[in-house]
């Protein structure tokens, strides 16, 4: 009705392994932060995916789940353990790939931020990798090329990479919009001295889009040089935009420099939908033991709240996202950490500590 705020609906996909523990922690913290920020509560909708969905629906990524997600504003995706699925599900495209492809989530946004007490190799690092997630040489994931690999003879294998202007434009816009809200610097990563046509197009289109953002500083590096700069001076970078394969490699490097796998969040976004997903896997070795670190999933959810708030110009949601980040940051700084970070707090105890610190803001 007129004047009433939009009530956002978010999907909840628990996934496998530690997924249910960390996703429910993220929902709890998001609710606490929304209330602290004076934002309207969200509507959460749980949907089957992964092992549970195979048992209940006979599909790892049920069509009904995809249809329900299409009616939401975004969702939390818990990690899945597709290597443990029975055939034929194990050989199919895994749930996160299926969802990314179905909704054309072309932007993989992966921050690498060193937290106080997080054991970072690059203390003070606070950068974001914006990775194009549909093209390049990872052709099996894109819709234009089919598998993109073939063998003309048993002794020769060929891979094709594709770069299109449209895909470069949309990922470049994501990067520049993000940099405008941060420290206003974008670094373009390519290999235009060797892959002249493909990554050259990527660099050139990013440079063209840069003209629309005169207050954002731009530079560009070859991928090999960039690994050196990241190791030597990670702190100086703000937003790094790159194609699919380079982004895959760089985000692991940057994530490791910034610190723990347990605190590394990510967001997968298209123009109109976004999916929060921790950078780590389903950790079946520690599932159900209340020792998982929920920080990455919680911080991924904060990214989703910020994305929603920015898209709908809803200040309260952006505030809620900041509150989540501050709550996690201050909890870690106080030395409350899970086992993977050398602490003794369980998943629940850590989550309760974050909720308590949010309640005190
Ligand atoms: P995937 O193939 O799904 O990416 P993976 O084999 O790369 O999985 P992860 O599931 O990410 O591995 O786990 C790697 C190691 O890190 C495991 O020992 C796991 O227990 C640990 N680990 C991963 N995520 C967490 C977390 N959130 N909290 C604590 N430990 C974790
Ligand atoms: Mg992994």
């Amino acid at each position: 009705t007129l004047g009433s705020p939009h009530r956002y609906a978010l999907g909840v996909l628990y996934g496998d392994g530690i997924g249910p523990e960390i996703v429910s922690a993220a929902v709890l913290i998001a609710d606490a932060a929304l209330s602290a920020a004076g934002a309207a509560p969200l509507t959460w909708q749980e949907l089957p995916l992964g092992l549970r969905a195979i048992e209940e629906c006979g599909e790892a990524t049920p069509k009904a789940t995809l249809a329900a997600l299409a009616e939401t504003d975004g969702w939390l995706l818990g990690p899945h353990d597709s290597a443990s699925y029975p055939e034929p599900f194990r050989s199919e495209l895994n749930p996160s790939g299926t969802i990314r492809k179905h909704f054309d989530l072309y932007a993989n946004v992966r921050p690498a931020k060193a937290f106080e007490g997080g054991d970072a190799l690059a203390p003070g690092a606070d950068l974001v990798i914006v990775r194009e997630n549909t093209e390049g040489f990872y052709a099996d994931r894109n819709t234009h090329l089919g598998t993109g690999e073939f063998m003309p003879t048993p002794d020769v294998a060929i891979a094709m990479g594709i770069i299109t202007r449209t895909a470069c434009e949309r990922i470049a816009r994501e990067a520049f919009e993000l940099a405008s809200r941060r420290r206003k610097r974008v670094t373009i990563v390519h290999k235009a001295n060797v892959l002249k046509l493909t990554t050259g197009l990527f660099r050139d289109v990013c440079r063209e889009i840069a003209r629309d953002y005169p207050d954002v500083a731009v530079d560009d590096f070859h991928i090999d040089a960039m690994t050196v700069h990241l190791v030597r001076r990670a702190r100086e970078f703000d937003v790094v935009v790159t194609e699919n394969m380079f982004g895959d490699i760089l985000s692991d490097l940057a994530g490791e420099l910034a610190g723990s796998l347990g605190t590394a969040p990510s967001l997968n976004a298209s123009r109109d939908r976004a999916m929060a997903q921790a950078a780590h896997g389903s950790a079946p070795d520690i599932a159900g033991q209340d020792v998982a670190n929920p920080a990455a999933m919680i911080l991924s959810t904060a990214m989703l709240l910020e994305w929603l708030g920015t898209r709908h110009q809803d200040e309260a949601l952006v505030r809620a996202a900041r509150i989540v980040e501050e709550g996690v940051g201050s909890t870690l700084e106080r030395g409350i950490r899970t086992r993977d970070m050398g602490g003794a707090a369980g998943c629940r105890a850590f989550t309760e500590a974050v909720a308590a610190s949010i309640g005190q803001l």
Side-chain angles (χ1 to χ4, degrees):
T1 52
L2 203 67
S4 77
H6 180 81
R7 178 137 188 188
Y8 305 96
L10 292 188
V12 179
L13 305 160
Y14 288 115
D16 310 317
I18 59 172
E21 298 164 69
I22 62 174
V23 171
S24 35
V27 170
L28 191 141
I29 296 303
D31 282 339
L34 289 163
S35 127
L42 297 172
T43 307
W44 301 103
Q45 190 184 0
E46 294 173 19
L47 296 162
L49 189 86
L51 217 42
R52 208 188 100 200
I54 291 175
E55 284 155 14
E56 289 173 9
C57 325
E59 287 176 290
T61 313
K63 281 174 200 69
T65 291
L66 292 174
L69 289 178
E71 303 300 315
T72 67
D73 296 291
W75 52 88
L76 316 192
L77 176 71
H80 48 69
D81 184 16
S82 41
S84 76
Y85 297 172
E87 289 295 0
F89 309 104
R90 191 186 327 167
S91 305
E92 292 169 356
L93 183 59
N94 66 34
S96 102
T98 306
I99 294 174
R100 254 185 247 168
K101 207 162 169 169
H102 185 81
F103 291 105
D104 193 23
L105 303 176
Y106 60 85
N108 181 215
V109 185
R110 199 162 144 195
K113 179 172 171 160
F115 280 97
E116 202 73 45
D119 201 20
L121 292 166
D126 180 9
L127 62 96
V128 183
I129 310 275
V130 176
R131 164 187 174 192
E132 204 292 321
N133 213 10
T134 67
E135 295 193 340
F137 292 92
Y138 289 0
D140 61 336
R141 288 166 160 224
N142 79 47
T143 43
H144 315 285
L145 275 183
T147 79
E149 281 195 304
F150 63 100
M151 297 182 77
T153 78
D155 300 321
V156 177
I158 297 178
M160 293 185 284
I162 182 171
I163 300 279
T164 66
R165 170 172 291 275
T166 309
C168 296
E169 283 175 355
R170 63 185 188 176
I171 199 68
R173 289 221 177 271
E174 292 292 329
F176 282 95
E177 288 292 330
L178 181 61
S180 306
R181 303 193 299 272
R182 291 176 45 99
R183 303 199 311 275
K184 299 192 166 44
R185 179 173 177 201
V186 169
T187 302
I188 306 161
V189 176
H190 57 88
K191 186 69 183 171
N193 55 340
V194 177
L195 299 168
K196 291 191 175 80
L197 296 181
T198 49
T199 75
L201 180 63
F202 184 87
R203 179 201 54 194
D204 294 346
V205 174
C206 288
R207 286 264 177 202
E208 281 172 40
I209 299 296
R211 288 189 213 127
D212 292 343
Y213 300 85
D215 58 337
V216 176
V218 195
D219 54 3
D220 69 271
F221 293 109
H222 294 137
I223 176 67
D224 47 344
M226 185 63 188
T227 60
V228 174
H229 293 310
L230 259 189
V231 170
R232 283 280 165 204
R233 46 190 192 91
R235 225 164 301 147
E236 293 169 28
F237 293 98
D238 180 20
V239 174
V240 176
V241 65
T242 191
E243 64 86 46
N244 206 343
M245 182 169 66
F246 297 162
D248 183 20
I249 298 164
L250 276 188
S251 49
D252 262 23
L253 175 61
E256 198 57 26
L257 288 170
S260 163
L261 194 57
T263 57
S266 83
L267 191 75
N268 292 273
S270 69
R271 198 104 52 218
D272 52 6
R273 284 195 189 79
M275 167 168 93
Q277 182 177 16
H280 59 72
S282 63
D285 52 327
I286 57 164
Q289 298 170 27
D290 192 35
V291 296
N293 187 352
M297 194 66 231
I298 292 172
L299 293 169
S300 305
T301 305
M303 292 180 75
L304 177 56
L305 296 180
E306 177 171 1
W307 179 90
L308 265 183
T310 306
R311 184 169 175 268
H312 293 277
Q313 293 173 328
D314 187 334
E315 276 305 315
L317 279 179
V318 176
R319 234 171 15 245
R322 296 269 172 282
I323 289 172
V324 173
E325 284 162 19
E326 280 166 32
V328 171
S330 77
T331 302
L332 293 173
E333 274 165 42
R334 277 184 295 142
I336 300 171
R337 292 170 206 155
T338 46
R339 202 171 69 184
D340 56 309
M341 296 181 81
C347 181
R348 280 206 200 93
F350 179 85
T351 307
E352 277 157 22
V354 175
S357 88
I358 285 173
Q360 281 156 19
L361 287 173

